[in-house]
Amino acid sequence: MAQERKAGLLRRTSSSKKPLKEKVVLMYDEIFTKDDPAKTNPRFWDELFLMKVNLEYLEAKLTSLDGDEVVMIKENINSLFHHCVQALEEEHQIKVVNALQTLCALFRGVHQKNKSATGFDIINMLVGFDKADLRMKDLMESLDGLLCGDGSESLKSLCLKLLLCLVTVTDNISQNTILEYVMINSIFEAILQILSDVSSRGQHGYDAVVLLALLVNYRKYESVNPYIVKLSIVDDESTLDGMGMVVHQALTEYNRQYKDKEEEDHGGFFSTLTNMVGSMFIADAEEKLSVQTNEAILLALYEAVHLNRNFITVLAQSHPEIDMAATPVSTLPATPTTPLGTTPPSLDMLNNPELPLDPNLQTSNLLITFLKYSSIVMQDTKDEHRLNSARLCLIILTCIAEDQYADAFLHDDNMNFRVNLHRMPMRHRKKAAAKNIPSRPLVCAVLDLMVEFIVTHMMKEFPMDLYMRCVQIIHKLICYQKKCRVRLHYTWRELWSALINLLKFLLSNETTLLAKHNIFHLALQVVNLFNMFITYGDTFLPTPSSYDELYYEIVRMHQVFDNLYCMVLRVSTNVGQWKEPASKVTHALVNVRAIINHFNPKIESYAAVNHISQLSEDQNTQTRSAQLQSWRAGV
């Protein structure tokens, strides 16, 4: 049946008769001849838009044309485009719907046929050079009017689908020359209107946010993009809240799907079998738990956070955390089938600006939801798709860590949250129970996420750039704590241990990693983090005993730092490409080596006098504490 539909067959016939075709297909065939179809039938275009569109046939017909045929029927395709735009002004809604769908087929079919052609060739084939400015202006004005008008929700949805189709017909959005007309004839205000209105947002918010994110990325580094300029100055609270609600709901839906899949896999036959035979199926379990990520929404969140400082306040707005599985789903009105399959997640919450208040409900916000999403995505970075998704999550977190207002909110001790981050299954640790998670400032969850990434991604395909971003985020947060003298009650020892183990991994895999990465850059960032704790820790570490724990970790793992020093000294004294970066690490290790060189002889002396083969942490602490004050004075 699908093949018959694509061929435009109305029904099967006996072999002695010609197959019957739909009338609309016969009319398409007339367009794909060199003669003007309106010459023999003056009402041709009026009749065409009263008939149901056969998208498959029209697209297939366009892509099947050879070069000579394209030149021969260019005028007819230009005329079809022109009459589609004219039909958008019709009062008859069926004509408008059919015109929108025909435009979708035109954009897709022409681009599919002319992938190797320049953007100007495609514009000429679709619209014609001489009339392109006027035709595209009329098209964009009609779409703007339909989106902002009082028409049906289905019609508005189809307008957005057409715009998404127009934006995504090329793999590289910046090569889509026809978008120049979308830049000139802006629909930015129409998108904002959709996001600011509760009802429209519930119906079309997802498509509107994705469309805006894509338009913002059109030649963003090559020329002035009006969508970037306008997005950066939006200060309307309802619009920003609407954008945040759409992003929050999409990420929440992903988190819910992952949680459901996790519970399904752990509660069924697979879980029983795994318990019987051990952990040999862990890789399969991870594969089963894979849920399709949503880079479009991540991109929208990045652009909002990166471009608009006012959006930072939206990240922090608290509301009750509702179990999405228990929330009744409202039925969205049916929309006409379109060639672009951008299906938004369930957006029923967006119809309700007032959320039920229940003192027993845990409060949440967009940032918490994003952190949970990131903890899922960052578990598996083995394939390029999920690696890019994790990279985008870390870029967004970098933008947040660089913002002063966001840092103030993250570190606010009066606003504590219980954030249940997802942790990668590992043989040597148990899964933490959700009920045991303490309520803490959100910065603790960010640091936990960074520590989790550091610990779980030391592998053969080492994601160097992700590690660099991870360490940079930690550095930015500590800089804020130092500057504002925020004494965060956090288990710093876990972070120090993770960083030391990272250095140990770099040392163990020096040869392999140096073939691909500049590991000295990462080692320098890690050592500089320790230097911040050593030099400025008295301004942000919570208690004097925190210093003891820091020194204990450094002395306990002194072999790692000694080996690192030997390695960078060896590389920096030889001629080679890594000479300069290695020498920087050598200089950065001065503080750490001073601590090790001071305390190690004292600890060894104490152990020898008391006939102890290995000191406990308490004994180490006592030995250090007795000398710490005099040593600091000497330094």
Side-chain angles (χ1 to χ4, degrees):
M1 290 299 292
Q3 289 297 323
E4 289 179 21
R5 173 67 179 159
K6 188 172 182 178
L9 300 182
L10 193 60
R11 60 179 172 83
R12 288 192 181 94
T13 60
S14 62
S15 57
S16 61
K17 297 181 180 179
K18 290 183 179 180
L20 298 178
K21 289 187 176 182
E22 300 174 70
K23 185 175 180 181
V24 70
V25 169
L26 295 173
M27 297 184 79
Y28 290 155
D29 289 341
E30 288 187 57
I31 295 173
F32 287 96
T33 61
K34 63 180 180 180
D35 297 323
D36 181 359
K39 281 184 179 179
T40 55
N41 181 6
R43 292 186 52 79
F44 179 87
W45 300 111
D46 287 332
E47 292 176 5
L48 178 67
F49 294 113
L50 286 173
M51 297 179 189
K52 186 177 180 181
V53 179
N54 188 328
L55 293 172
E56 290 183 340
Y57 183 85
L58 184 54
E59 282 186 44
K61 193 75 175 176
L62 283 164
T63 55
S64 67
L65 298 173
D66 61 32
D68 293 337
E69 289 174 325
V70 169
V71 174
M72 185 176 66
I73 65 162
K74 185 184 86 68
E75 291 299 325
N76 284 356
I77 293 177
N78 291 172
S79 185
L80 175 59
F81 187 94
H82 170 52
H83 285 92
C84 283
V85 174
Q86 281 190 326
L88 298 181
E89 299 293 332
E90 295 277 356
E91 293 184 6
H92 204 309
Q93 197 170 77
I94 288 186
K95 284 189 174 183
V96 178
V97 168
N98 289 333
L100 288 169
Q101 291 188 322
T102 303
L103 283 168
C104 280
L106 272 175
F107 284 127
R108 287 167 61 90
V110 170
H111 277 87
Q112 192 69 24
K113 170 63 186 175
N114 297 277
K115 280 187 174 181
S116 60
T118 65
F120 298 109
D121 291 339
I122 289 173
I123 292 170
N124 191 35
M125 181 177 177
L126 268 174
V127 195
F129 279 137
D130 54 337
K131 299 166 186 173
D133 289 342
L134 179 61
R135 295 283 187 268
M136 289 302 300
K137 180 175 181 292
D138 290 344
L139 171 62
M140 297 308 298
E141 286 180 353
S142 294
L143 293 175
D144 185 80
L146 290 169
L147 289 172
C148 298
D150 298 325
S152 71
E153 299 302 329
S154 297
L155 199 58
K156 291 181 180 181
S157 177
L158 192 50
C159 287
L160 287 169
K161 299 293 185 188
L162 171 60
L163 286 164
L164 284 168
C165 175
L166 171 60
V167 170
T168 58
V169 285
T170 56
D171 293 334
N172 184 342
I173 192 172
S174 295
Q175 294 175 355
N176 189 353
T177 313
I178 205 165
L179 287 186
E180 288 293 337
Y181 300 104
V182 185
M183 297 293 118
I184 298 169
N185 306 286
S186 175
I187 53 164
F188 184 81
E189 286 70 24
I191 295 174
L192 293 196
Q193 182 174 315
I194 290 170
L195 295 175
S196 61
D197 181 75
V198 176
S199 176
S200 293
R201 182 170 69 235
Q203 301 286 346
H204 317 296
Y206 182 85
D207 282 349
V209 164
V210 171
L211 176 62
L212 180 58
L214 292 171
L215 290 173
V216 162
N217 279 276
Y218 175 71
R219 296 186 177 176
K220 63 189 301 185
Y221 302 116
E222 302 170 27
S223 59
V224 177
N225 183 321
Y227 291 86
I228 292 178
V229 177
K230 291 180 179 181
L231 179 58
S232 65
I233 59 175
V234 173
D235 59 359
D236 180 65
E237 188 176 343
S238 61
T239 302
L240 294 173
D241 288 348
M243 190 181 302
M245 287 289 285
V246 172
V247 175
H248 178 266
Q249 186 60 20
L251 297 181
T252 300
E253 180 68 15
Y254 176 90
N255 294 347
R256 183 192 64 77
Q257 289 179 13
Y258 182 87
K259 184 180 177 183
D260 290 348
K261 206 168 182 64
E262 187 179 41
E263 290 176 353
E264 176 186 335
D265 290 340
H266 285 257
F269 171 76
F270 179 81
S271 177
T272 306
L273 185 61
T274 308
N275 291 334
M276 291 170 59
V277 299
S279 56
M280 60 185 294
F281 291 115
I282 281 181
D284 294 333
E286 283 303 290
E287 187 177 344
K288 286 183 71 177
L289 287 176
S290 178
V291 179
Q292 182 63 43
T293 52
N294 194 333
E295 280 72 29
I297 281 294
L298 276 186
L299 180 64
L301 178 58
Y302 164 72
E303 296 298 353
V305 170
H306 174 62
L307 294 174
N308 193 302
R309 292 199 73 248
N310 299 314
F311 189 79
I312 293 294
T313 61
V314 176
L315 293 173
Q317 288 177 1
S318 298
H319 57 75
E321 192 173 50
I322 297 175
D323 183 4
M324 296 307 301
T327 308
V329 179
S330 61
T331 305
L332 297 178
T335 57
T337 304
T338 67
L340 185 70
T342 1
T343 306
S346 159
L347 295 176
D348 40 286
M349 268 180 62
L350 303 187
N351 293 320
N352 245 323
E354 297 297 329
L355 296 169
L357 298 178
D358 183 342
N360 297 319
L361 283 175
Q362 160 73 7
T363 55
S364 182
N365 54 44
L366 175 54
L367 185 52
I368 292 174
T369 303
F370 170 66
L371 289 174
K372 291 180 180 178
Y373 177 92
S374 300
S375 70
I376 297 170
V377 169
M378 289 163 59
Q379 287 183 47
D380 178 18
T381 58
K382 291 179 182 177
D383 66 86
E384 188 175 1
H385 179 78
R386 298 183 76 84
L387 178 69
N388 290 332
S389 193
R391 182 179 292 115
L392 190 47
C393 286
L394 287 171
I395 291 172
I396 294 169
L397 281 172
T398 303
C399 293
I400 292 170
E402 288 174 341
D403 186 271
Q404 290 292 308
Y405 178 83
D407 282 330
F409 170 72
L410 285 172
H411 291 85
D412 191 343
D413 200 35
N414 296 314
M415 301 187 71
N416 295 332
F417 298 90
R418 194 172 285 111
V419 184
N420 183 20
L421 298 176
H422 293 263
R423 288 156 60 92
M424 186 183 294
M426 299 180 76
R427 294 180 179 87
H428 66 275
R429 70 179 183 185
K430 295 181 180 179
K431 187 173 181 179
K435 62 182 179 181
N436 296 330
I437 299 170
S439 186
R440 304 173 295 171
L442 271 180
V443 67
C444 295
V446 178
L447 290 170
D448 283 347
L449 184 62
M450 298 301 99
V451 170
E452 175 69 11
F453 182 85
I454 291 172
V455 169
T456 56
H457 288 78
M458 299 178 201
M459 53 192 181
K460 184 178 178 182
E461 294 298 323
F462 189 68
M464 172 63 79
D465 65 324
L466 269 60
Y467 268 95
M468 286 297 300
R469 292 188 183 278
C470 206
V471 174
Q472 286 166 3
I473 290 167
I474 296 169
H475 183 265
K476 292 177 189 300
L477 294 174
I478 292 176
C479 284
Y480 177 83
Q481 293 167 25
K482 168 186 168 291
K483 176 183 175 183
C484 300
R485 294 184 175 270
V486 177
R487 296 190 181 277
L488 183 67
H489 290 275
Y490 181 73
T491 51
W492 291 110
R493 188 170 180 174
E494 291 184 6
L495 172 61
W496 299 328
S497 178
L499 292 173
I500 292 172
N501 284 326
L502 174 57
L503 291 176
K504 188 176 181 181
F505 175 81
L506 295 180
L507 288 167
S508 302
N509 298 273
E510 174 194 349
T511 306
T512 305
L513 293 176
L514 272 179
K516 299 179 181 179
H517 310 290
N518 178 3
I519 62 172
F520 301 106
H521 193 187
L522 178 58
L524 178 63
Q525 297 293 325
V526 172
V527 173
N528 282 340
L529 274 180
F530 278 103
N531 285 334
M532 283 199 69
F533 280 103
I534 294 167
T535 310
Y536 303 108
D538 58 333
T539 63
F540 61 86
L541 287 175
T543 61
S545 64
S546 300
Y547 249 123
D548 290 337
E549 291 179 0
L550 170 64
Y551 285 26
Y552 175 77
E553 282 300 309
I554 291 174
V555 174
R556 184 176 72 88
M557 301 298 290
H558 71 90
Q559 195 66 51
V560 175
F561 292 104
D562 291 342
N563 291 342
L564 177 63
Y565 181 75
C566 291
M567 188 262 278
V568 294
L569 188 63
R570 167 173 49 82
V571 175
S572 63
T573 53
N574 294 326
V575 178
Q577 68 176 116
W578 307 120
K579 179 180 176 68
E580 185 178 348
S583 64
K584 291 181 180 178
V585 182
T586 307
H587 298 310
L589 280 167
V590 170
N591 286 337
V592 173
R593 296 190 70 241
I595 293 172
I596 293 170
N597 293 335
H598 176 82
F599 283 111
N600 255 0
K602 306 293 183 183
I603 292 171
E604 290 170 2
S605 174
Y606 179 89
V609 169
N610 293 275
H611 305 289
I612 301 171
S613 60
Q614 186 173 359
L615 270 64
S616 68
E617 180 177 350
D618 289 340
Q619 289 170 326
N620 262 323
T621 302
Q622 291 170 9
T623 308
R624 289 194 317 276
S625 297
Q627 304 167 52
L628 191 54
Q629 189 172 359
S630 61
W631 181 77
R632 284 178 182 166
V635 172

